[in-house]
Amino acid sequence: MNRMEKVFAKGKAFIPFITAGDPSLETTEQLVLQMAAAGADLIELGIPFSDPVAEGPVIQEADARALAAGATTDKIFAMVKSIRSASQVPIALMTYMNPIFTYGIEKFMANSREAGIDAVIVPDVPYEEGEELLPYCSKYGIELISMITPTSEKRIKMIAARARGFIYCVSSLGVTGVRQEINDDVKGMISLVKEVKDIPCAVGFGISSPEQAAKMAELSDGVIVGSAIVRIIGQYGADCVPHVVEYVRRMSEAVKQEKTDI
Amino acid sequence: MLKGRFGNYGGQYIPETLMNAALELEEAYSKFKDDQEFKEELSELQRNYAGRPSLLYYAEKMTKDLGGAKIYLKREDLNHTGSHKINNVLGQVLLAKRMGKTRVIAETGAGQHGVATATAAALMEMECEIYMGKEDTDRQALNVYRMELLGAKVHTVTSGTQTLKDAVNETMREWTRRVKDTHYVLGSVMGPHPFPTIVRDFQSVIGREVKKQILEKEGRLPDALVACVGGGSNAMGLFYEFIEDKSVRLIGCEAGGHGIDTDKNAATMATGTVGIFHGMKSYFCQDRYGQIAPVYSISAGLDYPGIGPEHANLSDLGRAEYVAVTDDEAVEAFGYLSRVEGIIPAIESAHAVAYVQKLAPTMSREQIMVINLSGRGDKDVAAIARYKGVQIYE
Ligand SMILES: Cc1ncc(COP(=O)(O)O)c(C=O)c1O
């Protein structure tokens, strides 16, 4: 079993997102190691981008902090390499197409593999443009994670048929950010996926409370939480690690708890 | 993957949330663009609301003063709302209406596209919200008030560099939030497919008119067409009809800011490299890790780190040339055209005028060139006064 296959092998997965280099790459490294120890099954690491059009204000600000602190794609690869000497937690890079394209798609995937990256998530590459990345993803064994959203509708089956690793189910319209209400339609979205392919589906966008996480875990195979964590990092800066770890532990427990009622 | 491509450029690099909206737009556009009723309604609006055709004016005094090629001005500044932006907006808002949308959103730099969108929304009874960078709401304050008068809600964008690029980011974010009833009226020949094609088609009326007008006046094609380039819509609108006429030079003037050897410019073709951003593959000002560079121009409408994909292709093919014009040159040309011809150009258009001041004297008196006067300069008067150290209160 490769690292990606292990993510969902033990049951429901908890997947935290953080922006690499916010507030520093040293802190990011500590966060990855300790979140893994606290129950994270896959870490989604954002490569900061100057213009993250799919992000709300919380992650936009994290990207700006990380870039101001000097994070670059090369330094992030080096950090992941260093993490790999201590941990085999699966890692997915989340970034936009321009940092990948400008770096050189092949070089990006080759260096990802060498650093020990397992997957990439590229929110501005829809199904139709995926062909540009896929040959290099498969050459270097990096999974390109597919996203489906509440507007995907007829597209879900087509997307699912080509999907690998897991499917990122975007719970709501709009950009990333904490929400009070989370769309219940994820259930319908996921059942469309499962008609085509037996592939794990993880739900993200808007989730922040253990109650929301538990509810989404019931409907899916895993839960992705970004803005709520990034907000803690923004609040505590270099001292964020224990606060984030505590939060990840609670969220991970909520995701993995056995259903008691209903 | 080959859909919506101009050579290597273009494409549809957008979040999955927007894909159905983009496909729906593509479908609606291909249905209506050849629909007789739609075409008649649009051309009626162009004639009786926007004031088309715009004049092709022989700038005799400028021609004599420069002592070279004969210079014509395509007077897009005389259109309703004061720029070429209305051509695209009337088409898109009419299309949105046919698609059953009830709300339009748009980015704006100089405010001209925002004003045009707010105008068309008022006319066609649509809700309208405009996104504009904080730096631009400051330097183009008059246009903010104008949009509000027209019933639009103006959002001041404070993220990033607080200019046009950030206004585009924010409008895209808003579109992903509310896509069902909302159409994004993109303001230039940029963004994801099908926008570069739609905007070019709606703007191509400029070049079609120029061809007819110049053949009537001169009995032959011009030797050069000159237009300023932000995203590239007024330039593409002028060039498109002439692409196959290989004897006609196509020249785009980008914002050179303080100079292309400084880091304060927005001259994408001179200083940019190929990247993928705002839904398209094209040239962008960026660093080697693909971080989009903060760009600068005195002109809010040209202050953009990218260029439309069809321009990128025309440049690669060697069919069009792109030059950089500095702030100082544009400000000088702003005054020059005002004094010599009695026409105050938009500071964006003044970039094209400035280049013609250099180029015309090198050409012969038998040669003909056309400048796209994409907009009028009223909106810029206060800012130019400030640039020259005169304090004016708008
Ligand atoms: C008068 C005028 N000209 C030119 C432009 C630049 O846009 P484009 O390159 O799409 O014509 C603008 C944009 O705001 C404008 O207002």
Side-chain angles (χ1 to χ4, degrees):
Chain A
M1 211 186 286
N2 68 25
R3 280 192 299 255
M4 273 312 279
E5 286 159 353
K6 287 190 191 139
V7 176
F8 298 90
K10 302 188 299 283
K12 310 278 179 182
F14 178 67
I15 304 172
F17 167 91
I18 57 175
T19 298
D22 169 33
S24 69
L25 286 163
E26 293 70 39
T27 307
T28 302
E29 186 165 347
Q30 283 312 305
L31 283 169
V32 172
L33 294 172
Q34 299 207 31
M35 289 193 300
D41 299 287
L42 166 74
I43 311 278
E44 203 189 313
L45 262 189
I47 298 181
F49 182 46
S50 54
D51 296 84
V53 285
E55 313 297 346
V58 170
I59 296 176
Q60 286 174 39
E61 282 159 26
D63 280 20
R65 287 193 298 266
L67 290 172
T72 66
T73 308
D74 282 322
K75 289 183 193 167
I76 292 165
F77 283 140
M79 177 198 66
V80 172
K81 215 181 256 183
S82 153
I83 289 170
R84 281 286 170 252
S85 64
S87 169
Q88 291 305 311
V89 64
I91 296 177
L93 286 180
M94 200 298 297
T95 192
Y96 290 80
M97 186 57 168
N98 203 43
I100 298 176
F101 178 81
T102 304
Y103 193 86
I105 296 174
E106 175 149 24
K107 185 174 150 209
F108 187 96
M109 297 307 164
N111 289 0
S112 289
R113 182 196 177 95
E114 205 213 322
I117 302 290
D118 303 289
V120 290
I121 303 171
V122 195
D124 58 348
V125 173
Y127 179 89
E128 283 77 354
E129 302 293 354
E131 299 292 339
E132 206 164 348
L133 294 174
L134 282 169
Y136 301 104
C137 287
S138 58
K139 180 167 175 189
Y140 295 99
I142 306 291
E143 303 289 21
L144 176 63
I145 302 304
S146 300
M147 301 177 104
I148 58 173
T149 72
T151 58
S152 296
E153 299 167 354
K154 294 195 298 269
R155 299 167 50 80
I156 290 183
K157 289 189 174 179
M158 164 183 91
I159 294 169
R162 195 179 75 186
R164 295 175 55 100
F166 69 97
I167 287 186
Y168 190 136
C169 303
V170 175
S171 70
S172 325
L173 294 177
V175 293
T176 55
V178 169
R179 288 173 173 76
Q180 297 300 326
E181 298 279 329
I182 301 197
N183 183 1
D184 286 337
D185 284 354
V186 292
K187 196 171 166 186
M189 286 160 62
I190 291 172
S191 67
L192 279 175
V193 170
K194 305 277 177 169
E195 277 178 33
V196 179
K197 199 180 215 165
D198 184 20
I199 183 169
C201 293
V203 182
F205 274 46
I207 301 166
S208 66
S209 70
E211 294 72 31
Q212 287 172 325
K215 187 168 162 223
M216 286 301 133
E218 267 178 44
L219 305 175
S220 69
D221 304 301
V223 170
I224 304 167
V225 174
S227 296
I229 296 174
V230 171
R231 200 164 57 180
I232 299 173
I233 297 172
Q235 184 181 349
Y236 294 100
D239 304 324
C240 67
V241 180
H243 301 277
V244 171
V245 167
E246 173 50 29
Y247 176 79
V248 166
R249 180 168 292 120
R250 274 198 298 138
M251 292 294 279
S252 175
E253 278 166 10
V255 166
K256 288 162 194 184
Q257 76 195 351
E258 291 295 321
K259 268 185 274 182
T260 46
D261 44 347
I262 331 175
Chain B
M1 156 149 175
L2 293 174
K3 207 173 52 171
R5 295 276 167 171
F6 305 93
N8 245 331
Y9 304 104
Q12 210 162 33
Y13 300 89
I14 45 174
E16 171 61 23
T17 305
L18 294 178
M19 272 309 292
N20 260 332
L23 295 170
E24 187 195 359
L25 178 62
E26 195 181 323
E27 202 175 300
Y29 181 62
S30 71
K31 178 170 151 211
F32 287 116
K33 81 175 161 56
D34 300 317
D35 179 89
Q36 210 47 41
E37 207 181 304
F38 181 85
K39 287 201 305 198
E40 274 164 26
E41 196 171 343
L42 179 58
S43 104
E44 167 69 18
L45 283 169
Q46 302 284 27
R47 268 198 315 275
N48 288 318
Y49 189 69
R52 301 211 72 86
S54 67
L55 300 175
L56 184 68
Y57 166 75
Y58 171 42
E60 189 174 358
K61 290 184 64 195
M62 185 176 173
T63 299
K64 294 224 164 95
D65 182 59
L66 296 174
K70 212 168 168 182
I71 298 160
Y72 281 89
L73 304 177
K74 180 60 174 166
R75 300 290 309 274
E76 292 297 303
D77 59 317
L78 295 178
N79 295 341
H80 181 41
T81 72
S83 81
H84 70 294
K85 296 287 181 186
I86 194 79
N87 304 333
N88 165 45
V89 162
L90 288 175
Q92 280 201 49
V93 177
L94 197 60
L95 183 62
K97 189 108 189 158
R98 291 291 171 99
M99 291 170 72
K101 306 284 177 182
T102 54
R103 178 173 176 262
V104 290
I105 55 174
E107 85 294 344
T108 196
Q112 290 303 95
H113 176 60
V115 166
T117 305
T119 298
L123 180 71
M124 297 188 220
E125 296 174 75
M126 304 271 250
E127 253 182 88
C128 178
E129 295 187 31
I130 303 293
Y131 292 80
M132 188 170 184
K134 168 90 172 55
E135 195 165 310
D136 298 335
T137 55
D138 289 346
R139 62 179 158 173
Q140 304 273 306
L142 201 59
N143 272 342
V144 176
Y145 195 69
R146 202 175 272 161
M147 290 183 266
E148 288 168 351
L149 266 180
L150 292 160
K153 183 165 170 31
V154 180
H155 298 271
T156 302
V157 175
T158 55
S159 59
T161 55
Q162 313 192 351
T163 57
L164 181 53
K165 149 184 93 87
D166 310 282
V168 174
N169 290 347
E170 219 46 55
T171 318
M172 283 196 172
R173 288 181 184 124
E174 173 59 20
W175 205 26
T176 63
R177 258 176 231 125
R178 194 169 154 186
V179 61
K180 280 249 148 60
D181 67 346
T182 299
H183 174 69
Y184 178 2
V185 184
L186 237 161
S188 193
V189 285
M190 46 156 291
H193 176 68
F195 285 106
T197 301
I198 291 182
V199 179
R200 178 253 278 152
D201 288 354
F202 287 143
Q203 288 293 359
S204 63
V205 65
I206 301 173
R208 280 197 306 278
E209 286 176 6
V210 166
K211 194 176 243 182
K212 189 158 169 275
Q213 290 165 322
I214 202 77
L215 288 175
E216 275 165 16
K217 287 177 199 289
E218 297 281 349
R220 69 177 190 87
L221 294 180
D223 298 281
L225 303 177
V226 185
C228 67
V229 175
S233 68
N234 85 85
M236 209 55 232
L238 177 64
F239 295 171
Y240 190 59
E241 182 68 20
F242 293 90
I243 289 177
E244 299 305 322
D245 301 313
K246 297 283 156 59
S247 66
V248 183
R249 278 175 75 186
L250 310 176
I251 305 169
C253 303
E254 294 194 300
H258 292 175
I260 56 169
D261 46 358
T262 72
D263 61 0
K264 285 210 167 308
N265 67 71
T268 310
M269 284 310 202
T271 64
T273 53
V274 178
I276 294 170
F277 181 51
H278 280 166
M280 59 183 170
K281 184 180 287 180
S282 190
Y283 285 86
F284 296 96
C285 301
Q286 56 180 336
D287 73 10
R288 69 190 177 95
Y289 287 107
Q291 305 294 344
I292 302 301
V295 290
Y296 163 81
S297 165
I298 188 173
S299 147
L302 306 185
D303 197 357
Y304 180 71
I307 186 168
E310 195 162 7
H311 285 292
N313 191 43
L314 290 176
S315 170
D316 279 13
L317 295 172
R319 179 64 191 94
E321 310 155 51
Y322 297 86
V323 297
V325 172
T326 65
D327 281 5
D328 286 346
E329 291 169 326
V331 169
E332 208 287 307
F334 183 86
Y336 176 81
L337 197 70
S338 305
R339 281 192 313 276
V340 175
E341 290 288 351
I343 296 171
I344 304 176
I347 189 65
E348 288 77 20
S349 326
H351 286 70
V353 174
Y355 188 68
V356 166
Q357 286 182 269
K358 285 195 261 188
L359 184 64
T362 69
M363 294 167 67
S364 81
R365 285 170 201 220
E366 283 68 53
Q367 291 184 296
I368 299 168
M369 58 203 307
V370 177
I371 307 176
N372 203 9
L373 213 64
S374 57
R376 67 175 182 229
D378 311 40
K379 68 182 176 61
D380 300 305
V381 170
I384 299 300
R386 285 195 294 275
Y387 185 84
K388 295 191 164 174
V390 182
Q391 287 304 319
I392 285 186
Y393 298 94
E394 291 179 305

